[in-house]
Amino acid sequence: MKSGKTEMIIGCVLVGIIALLAVGSLFGTPYDINAMDNTARMQAPSAAHLFGTDNYGRDIFSRAIVGARFTLIVAVSTVIGSTLISIVLGLISGYAGGIVDEVIMRVIDAVNSFPGILIALIIVTVMEHGSYTIIVALIIMFIPSFTRIVRTGTLQYKNADFVRSNRGFGDSDIRLLLVHILPNVFPLLLSSIVVGLSNAILAESSMSYLGLGIQPPTPSWGRMLYEAQSYILSAPWMALAPGFMIVAAIIGLNCIGEGIRRKYLN
Amino acid sequence: MHYLAKKTLILFLTLLLVSLFTFVAFHIIPGDPARLILGTQATDEKLEMLRHQLGTDRPLSDQYLSWIGGFLKGDFGTSIRYSMPVKNLIGERLPVTLLLGLISLALILLISIPIGIFSARVKDTFLEQVISFFTMAGISTPGFFLSILFIWIFGLILRIFTPGQYVSYQTDLSGFLQFMFFPALAIAVPQIATLVKYIRASMLDELGRDYVRTAKGKGASLTSILYSHVFRNAVVSVIPLFGMIIGSIFSGSIIVEQVFGVPGIGRLLISSVTGRDFPLTQALVMYVATIIVITNFLVDILIQVIDPRIRLS
């Protein structure tokens, strides 16, 4: 347990299965995700329909794995986007110090004082309701915490002996930052990146539930749950399938994050 | 008092930035907000009227100053959809959200502190595994899914409350509490899970301290050490998280209010977003952010009073 190995294994298995299903959905799904079948409405899970069917007779398993694909696309692009921006901001802020640092950090603090969902709501309100508006919203939501981590790491390393000596050898600031400081700072960010993925999935599915995330007809876990809510008593599988896929994805990512954290702490 | 002065200065600076962000966000809308609201079919006259009503025909600096000036005087603008001052809309719904938040906060503290302490006590046993399984599940379950599960299990199957039948606190307080318990719990669960983990860690940290060894050496039992010494320090360690908890309760209530049909601020906010009621969204965002910034400020001050050690670091 100390080394975080158990967490790592559980996490990798859960995330692996979901990622495989999501990638697999690219090559085809058991049923057409939008095919309505009046003769097969709200059927309980069976061999023919693994997770059952919804109120239009659509196959929930097919919809759920396509939903997994879009959720993962949103989560991964969000985390890549916010990591890149945060690395730039954090390195500059930590390395330059002084007034530059103060300005960046005050702005970051101010953004941070909005609860994440409020930021997402603002962006969704002011941007056109495109499919990828949600990615922009989530990127902005994650920048503050990532930037803080990069800044702290930069502060820690900018006057380390190996950085000083390379500075003495005439390395430029940019080279020092990218070649010497960043590779040391990145591991600090790694577990936050993984946890960031799980937060992105949480935020995306919440926004999709509210009708402000991934737009229909593209299936998404959050929207599937919204649609399932009215049928929860007669067809609980409609809600349970996407719901537990969200939970599994988040648990998996949190486990991996915890595993990485323990590995680097010990 | 140097600390207090600095904190106060930062408070005002943050509020200024928050107001600028909010304002800028709602004024860099690509295209014309009047057209966005009315749609492409709108006549020029109607557009002109709405622009005038929104004030978008005036210079930006004017708009900002009159908006923020009004805000400071308690005039939050007028909602387009409801044709009503935002102040009245907030006034009707604020008590509902505040009560929901308070019940939630009470649940969080009442449940997480005992379980956190208990899980430190049963360290390395099967029970600890059980608790850590539940905390993991609690952290990983989205509020809206939990809400749907509650509605299904406690509302429809066990019939403890009637889903969708909001009971006003003014007409029937006990009915209100009965209805609000599950939304509050849905908001609380992820926070409880986070706090249990945190309290457990800080308890274990405290248990390794010298004063605990001394108490043990004097022959004190583990229970008495836990409750008379370690507990206080562990509770103090939770206080810095208060700002975060308040923020999360609010974020949680935005979604949970929607699922349960609780007529509070969160629901108003979502309906303003989906209805493209820009003045209302803008006012609500500013209003909520202000509450959260001020709460964080007060928490920081409170920590100083309770635990002066933090001032040194």
Side-chain angles (χ1 to χ4, degrees):
Chain A
M1 286 296 281
K2 263 266 146 52
S3 64
K5 230 178 201 160
T6 328
E7 280 93 344
M8 244 354 214
I9 295 170
I10 298 175
C12 289
V13 169
L14 285 174
V15 175
I17 292 174
I18 291 170
L20 269 179
L21 288 173
V23 173
S25 76
L26 283 170
F27 301 101
T29 49
Y31 292 85
D32 180 340
I33 53 165
N34 291 316
M36 301 185 191
D37 182 355
N38 278 331
T39 60
R41 282 183 183 178
M42 296 205 269
Q43 286 188 353
S46 64
H49 296 280
L50 217 49
F51 291 170
T53 58
D54 67 7
N55 51 319
Y56 295 111
R58 296 177 298 190
D59 180 53
I60 293 175
F61 178 74
S62 304
R63 292 179 67 74
I65 61 176
V66 175
R69 184 166 91 216
F70 286 100
T71 297
L72 290 184
I73 291 174
V74 170
V76 171
S77 1
T78 299
V79 168
I80 292 176
S82 45
T83 305
L84 291 178
I85 297 173
S86 304
I87 284 177
V88 173
L89 286 176
L91 286 177
I92 293 176
S93 187
Y95 196 77
I99 184 83
V100 178
D101 182 35
E102 195 64 30
V103 169
I104 293 180
M105 289 326 284
R106 282 288 82 78
V107 173
I108 291 282
D109 276 350
V111 174
N112 213 19
S113 56
F114 292 92
I117 183 145
L118 221 49
I119 297 178
L121 286 175
I122 296 174
I123 307 291
V124 171
T125 313
V126 301
M127 278 177 71
E128 308 272 335
H129 280 249
S131 287
Y132 295 100
T133 305
I134 181 74
I135 297 179
V136 177
L138 298 184
I139 287 179
I140 296 178
M141 204 170 126
F142 288 134
I143 288 177
S145 63
F146 285 10
T147 303
R148 276 232 182 83
I149 296 169
V150 178
R151 175 180 174 269
T152 310
T154 311
L155 284 176
Q156 192 182 332
Y157 284 105
K158 79 171 178 187
N159 288 320
D161 287 342
F162 69 93
V163 175
R164 281 168 183 242
S165 71
N166 281 298
R167 192 178 291 138
F169 286 131
D171 280 5
S172 68
D173 286 342
I174 305 258
R175 193 180 149 78
L176 285 175
L177 280 170
L178 295 184
V179 178
H180 301 293
I181 296 178
L182 183 58
N184 285 298
V185 171
F186 198 72
L188 301 174
L189 200 54
L190 206 57
S191 88
S192 304
I193 286 177
V194 178
V195 175
L197 280 172
S198 84
N199 286 333
I201 291 176
L202 191 67
E204 182 276 313
S205 57
S206 305
M207 292 297 282
S208 294
Y209 173 85
L210 295 173
L212 302 169
I214 296 173
Q215 297 296 316
T218 308
S220 65
W221 291 339
R223 202 62 195 163
M224 287 172 78
L225 267 161
Y226 174 79
E227 287 162 1
Q229 203 179 331
S230 334
Y231 303 99
I232 186 80
L233 200 57
S234 45
W237 53 86
M238 271 177 72
L240 296 181
F244 280 114
M245 281 187 86
I246 298 174
V247 175
I250 295 175
I251 286 189
L253 288 164
N254 283 342
C255 281
I256 296 178
E258 182 72 16
I260 295 175
R261 202 179 58 83
R262 290 200 187 176
K263 194 173 168 204
Y264 279 100
L265 278 186
N266 292 326
Chain B
M1 280 297 96
H2 174 70
Y3 175 84
L4 192 63
K6 195 183 162 202
K7 276 278 170 199
T8 314
L9 186 68
I10 291 183
L11 170 74
F12 284 110
L13 201 61
T14 311
L15 285 176
L16 181 68
L17 280 173
V18 164
S19 74
L20 275 172
F21 282 163
T22 312
F23 181 81
V24 168
F26 283 93
H27 288 81
I28 51 163
I29 301 170
D32 179 2
R35 195 172 282 283
L36 270 173
I37 294 165
L38 293 176
T40 44
Q41 307 285 321
T43 61
D44 284 346
E45 279 162 46
K46 275 196 169 167
L47 283 172
E48 206 47 56
M49 251 176 70
L50 184 60
R51 273 185 210 126
H52 189 71
Q53 193 193 333
L54 292 171
T56 47
D57 52 355
R58 288 180 299 153
L60 275 182
S61 54
D62 262 24
Q63 290 183 43
Y64 175 73
L65 288 176
S66 72
W67 174 63
I68 205 68
F71 206 89
L72 291 175
K73 279 181 277 176
D75 170 16
F76 302 151
T78 309
S79 152
I80 298 171
R81 211 160 65 110
Y82 296 89
S83 320
M84 232 172 123
V86 174
K87 193 177 162 186
N88 299 6
L89 289 169
I90 292 180
E92 279 168 27
R93 289 163 180 81
L94 189 63
V96 179
T97 299
L98 282 183
L99 285 171
L100 178 63
L102 277 177
I103 301 173
S104 199
L105 184 63
L107 288 172
I108 292 171
L109 297 179
L110 286 176
I111 300 175
S112 67
I113 294 176
I115 296 185
I117 296 171
F118 181 72
S119 89
R121 216 190 145 157
V122 296
K123 186 175 177 277
D124 297 326
T125 65
F126 177 70
L127 265 176
E128 193 207 358
Q129 301 277 322
V130 174
I131 293 173
S132 74
F133 171 79
F134 278 106
T135 52
M136 188 54 123
I139 291 171
S140 308
T141 309
F144 63 92
F145 182 43
L146 203 61
S147 303
I148 293 176
L149 290 178
F150 284 172
I151 290 176
W152 179 39
I153 298 171
F154 299 107
L156 296 171
I157 298 179
L158 301 176
R159 296 176 184 276
I160 297 178
F161 69 102
T162 318
Q165 297 284 316
Y166 169 74
V167 185
S168 169
Y169 61 96
Q170 283 151 325
T171 52
D172 176 6
L173 190 62
S174 79
F176 172 80
L177 291 177
Q178 204 172 348
F179 182 82
M180 290 302 241
F181 177 79
F182 289 100
L185 191 62
I187 298 171
V189 165
Q191 305 310 313
I192 291 172
T194 314
L195 269 185
V196 164
K197 248 178 102 169
Y198 189 86
I199 293 171
R200 176 184 171 275
S202 76
M203 289 288 284
L204 291 178
D205 191 37
E206 288 291 329
L207 281 175
R209 301 272 169 113
D210 286 345
Y211 74 86
V212 174
R213 201 186 51 198
T214 309
K216 271 186 197 157
K218 278 165 51 187
S221 72
L222 183 62
T223 313
S224 101
I225 295 173
L226 271 176
Y227 291 96
S228 59
H229 301 288
V230 177
F231 173 69
R232 283 190 217 172
N233 286 319
V235 167
V236 168
S237 75
V238 174
I239 294 172
L241 298 178
F242 248 70
M244 186 206 76
I245 296 173
I246 304 284
S248 307
I249 290 179
F250 183 78
S251 307
S253 78
I254 293 181
I255 305 225
V256 169
E257 280 181 14
Q258 194 73 11
V259 189
F260 281 92
V262 176
I265 296 285
R267 203 144 184 247
L268 183 65
L269 179 59
I270 299 295
S271 80
S272 79
V273 172
T274 46
R276 306 212 141 239
D277 192 341
F278 294 129
L280 181 56
T281 315
Q282 186 181 341
L284 283 176
V285 164
M286 186 61 206
Y287 184 74
V288 169
T290 305
I291 292 182
I292 288 176
V293 170
I294 292 178
T295 311
N296 274 315
F297 169 77
L298 293 178
V299 168
D300 280 350
I301 302 299
L302 185 70
I303 295 167
Q304 288 300 306
V305 176
I306 294 177
D307 192 356
R309 280 178 299 179
I310 295 170
R311 199 173 322 183
L312 300 172
S313 55

